[in-house]
Amino acid sequence: MAPTTALTADQANARLHELTVIDVRTPGEYASGHLPGAHNIPLDHLGTAVPALKTAAGRGTLLVVCASGARSATACQHLADHGITAATLTGGTTAWTQLGHDTHRPAGTRTPWAMDRQVRLAAGSLVLIGLIAGQLWSAARWLSAGVAGGLTFSALTNTCSMAKILAKLPHNQPKTADLDATLAALTS
């Protein structure tokens, strides 16, 4: 198993010219703003990218990035299990932008919602539906209780099952051509 390290936003910014940055957020989150030169490989497509990432890691240090650092830590562990050394960005793109570091956005694209905003909309909607439906059918309130329990579990474990489900929606999936181009860029 390869070692995993962490870099702060300032450390990563100072070394950006020597890092290969892999952004494991959804394509929508990536389009909302990413580190300069970052390659988008959503976390659920990481297994497909292992050969290309192994090649890229052979040329230099990989920096894996997400919004908060949780998904990138998971990705680094997955890569380490395949013998690939990678660093995670502590605090993710949130810490990066809070420190005023530059982000890039694809030209001519509409800014999609970040995953945390999608989760808040889905969770809030489900709670509201559960409460309204509970007026007619009392068992429907269990939907609201289930969402509340899931959010509590999410906070305690720093994981989010709802985000994993939402990431599978079509607007959060990379176009096959985009992913293929990213993998080709990493191997050349």
Side-chain angles (χ1 to χ4, degrees), residues 1-5 54 57 75-87:
M1 185 162 68
T4 300
T5 59
K54 193 171 277 203
C76 283
Q77 184 58 53
H78 179 77
L79 293 174
D81 291 345
H82 287 87
I84 302 170
T85 302

Side-chain angles (χ1 to χ4, degrees), residues 142-157:
W142 284 105
L143 175 63
S144 299
V147 172
L151 290 172
T152 302
F153 179 79
S154 173
L156 293 173
T157 62

Side-chain angles (χ1 to χ4, degrees), residues 110-136:
R110 144 183 103 78
T111 303
W113 286 11
M115 185 55 68
D116 65 321
R117 186 175 180 192
Q118 292 180 49
V119 168
R120 289 192 312 265
L121 175 68
S125 298
L126 288 171
V127 168
L128 190 58
I129 289 167
L131 291 174
I132 291 170
Q135 297 297 314
L136 301 173

Side-chain angles (χ1 to χ4, degrees), residues 15 22 47 76 90 119 172:
R15 295 182 52 197
I22 307 300
C76 283
T90 304
V119 168
N172 285 325

